[in-house]
Amino acid sequence: MAKKVKVSELVNQFGLEVISGEQGLKRTISVDDLYRPGLEMAGYFEYHPLERVQILGKTELAFFGMLPAAERKERIERLCQSEETPCIIVTRGLDVPEELIEASAKSELPVLRSTLATTILSSRITGFLERKLAPTATIHGVLVDVYGVGMLITGSSGIGKSETALELVKRGHRLIADDAVEIRQTSDNQLHGTAPELIRHLLEIRGVGIINVMTLFGAGAIRNNKRITLVVRLEAWQQEKQYDRLGLDEETTRIIDTDVPLVTIPVRPGRNLAVIIEVAAMNFRLKRMGYNAALQFTAKLTETIAEDIDELD
């Protein structure tokens, strides 16, 4: 189900003044794009995006004031007629035209006013709507910041995710979320994870119970959110399964609508998972910088084999 934001939330968030159309504050906003109806003021409504918040700034209102009275009334009525339009916001504390007040009152379309400049208000509203309307998901796992890499550790219950996170925290890395990770996808398909408010900064260790990481290790051991750039999947060691030993196979997993690099680490007694995850983070950073140890090794191997064949010939 698509997310929506009520116009009343916008009013409360930005302290907007309600000029008219108070009955329409229950209208909802379903897109984070805004629109400045300049062409519509000139009479062109062919591709008017009705579903967007409409912003009237100094330019639009100055042009509107130059129009004959009949045209002003006709265009404002067309601007206000749709029930899809969430609201109209007048910026810079400018005077609201009487035609707009009358038309919006008839159609119960909220007309709001802000003292902020048009570009500043548009930027702030867009950011707010992006956060509120972004696709979200909650995933069972642990999110940690290891050497600046946001690593989502997943795996079956009891595999050792929380214990690994505790060891990483002891080694100087930071915890974002344990057990449940709330993930939000931004408009540029980046994934940002955070912890639910109820379990923020908490870590559950079987046999010990729930611990507060910030209380035990200090404020430097936690952070509230982090972009997810790598998924680490822990799974029980399977003797018959062939695991990637070179690192040439690059897997991905899909979270919401974004593909994220995936590393699968088999778990068995004696393996230091915290150290392995640290190395995975450092290796991931090196790959992003253009260095791939596996490719370099295979290139040298191929070169050596070719030299040996030449010598035999």
Side-chain angles (χ1 to χ4, degrees), residues 240-277:
E240 69 281 359
K241 184 174 180 178
Q242 294 294 321
Y243 293 101
D244 184 16
R245 301 182 64 178
L246 295 179
L248 290 174
D249 299 332
E250 295 189 355
E251 293 183 88
T252 61
T253 184
R254 173 152 289 210
I255 300 176
I256 308 179
D257 296 320
T258 302
D259 291 323
V260 186
L262 170 68
V263 174
T264 301
I265 299 178
V267 177
R268 68 176 180 180
R271 301 200 88 195
N272 192 325
L273 295 179
V275 172
I276 294 172
I277 287 176

Side-chain angles (χ1 to χ4, degrees), residues 130-307:
E130 282 181 351
R131 291 191 300 273
K132 298 287 284 187
L133 299 174
T136 58
T138 300
I139 291 182
H140 175 64
V142 177
L143 181 58
V144 286
D145 179 354
V146 181
Y147 297 126
V149 178
M151 306 183 77
L152 177 63
I153 304 174
T154 64
S156 59
S157 181
I159 197 71
K161 300 184 295 295
S162 297
E163 290 80 0
T164 302
L166 178 60
E167 179 64 24
L168 288 168
V169 168
K170 286 186 64 179
R171 296 172 72 90
H173 306 292
R174 293 186 284 180
L175 173 75
I176 294 92
D178 175 50
D179 192 51
V181 183
E182 293 181 347
I183 300 174
R184 173 175 55 86
Q185 179 180 271
T186 61
S187 57
D188 54 355
N189 286 340
Q190 291 187 1
L191 299 173
H192 293 264
T194 186
E197 184 65 33
L198 183 64
I199 60 173
R200 188 161 295 167
H201 309 154
L202 301 181
L203 195 61
E204 179 194 355
I205 305 298
R206 285 177 172 81
V208 175
I210 295 175
I211 63 173
N212 190 308
V213 172
M214 186 172 70
T215 303
L216 286 177
F217 299 97
I222 56 96
R223 62 178 301 168
N224 289 332
N225 61 78
K226 178 67 181 175
R227 180 188 171 193
I228 300 171
T229 51
L230 181 64
V231 176
V232 177
R233 182 172 61 204
L234 304 181
E235 66 175 36
W237 186 289
Q238 302 175 44
Q239 194 66 37
E240 69 281 359
K241 184 174 180 178
Q242 294 294 321
Y243 293 101
D244 184 16
R245 301 182 64 178
L246 295 179
L248 290 174
D249 299 332
E250 295 189 355
E251 293 183 88
T252 61
T253 184
R254 173 152 289 210
I255 300 176
I256 308 179
D257 296 320
T258 302
D259 291 323
V260 186
L262 170 68
V263 174
T264 301
I265 299 178
V267 177
R268 68 176 180 180
R271 301 200 88 195
N272 192 325
L273 295 179
V275 172
I276 294 172
I277 287 176
E278 281 184 330
V279 171
M282 289 187 285
N283 192 49
F284 177 75
R285 291 186 63 180
L286 282 174
K287 285 182 178 180
R288 287 173 55 174
M289 294 167 63
Y291 176 82
N292 191 317
L295 291 178
Q296 190 177 69
F297 169 74
T298 54
K300 285 186 178 180
L301 181 61
T302 303
E303 184 180 337
T304 301
I305 293 172
E307 289 176 357

Side-chain angles (χ1 to χ4, degrees), residues 56-128:
L56 295 178
K58 186 176 181 179
T59 303
E60 291 79 18
L61 291 179
F63 177 79
F64 179 76
M66 297 169 56
L67 297 173
E71 291 185 14
R72 289 203 302 268
K73 182 178 180 182
E74 183 267 334
R75 286 167 195 177
I76 279 296
E77 286 180 349
R78 289 190 65 181
L79 192 66
C80 297
Q81 68 183 359
S82 176
E83 294 183 358
E84 291 183 51
T85 303
C87 63
I88 296 175
I89 303 177
V90 175
T91 62
R92 294 181 176 271
L94 297 169
D95 293 333
V96 180
E98 286 298 324
E99 294 90 346
L100 178 56
I101 294 175
E102 292 176 6
S104 61
K106 288 180 183 178
S107 58
E108 297 184 354
L109 173 66
V111 173
L112 315 173
R113 181 163 58 188
S114 171
T115 57
L116 294 175
T118 308
T119 52
I120 295 174
L121 181 67
S122 298
S123 175
R124 293 181 182 178
I125 291 179
T126 299
F128 172 74

Side-chain angles (χ1 to χ4, degrees), residues 7-62:
V7 174
S8 57
E9 294 182 54
L10 210 63
V11 173
N12 295 332
Q13 178 69 22
F14 296 98
L16 302 175
E17 178 187 359
V18 181
I19 303 298
S20 66
E22 295 88 348
Q23 303 91 336
L25 291 177
K26 60 183 180 296
R27 292 195 184 198
T28 57
I29 306 166
S30 58
V31 295
D32 54 26
D33 292 322
L34 309 182
Y35 187 70
R36 299 182 65 174
L39 287 174
E40 286 70 16
M41 292 297 178
Y44 186 76
F45 282 82
E46 187 68 27
Y47 298 103
H48 180 217
L50 301 170
E51 72 284 357
R52 299 187 192 180
V53 172
Q54 311 288 309
I55 303 288
L56 295 178
K58 186 176 181 179
T59 303
E60 291 79 18
L61 291 179

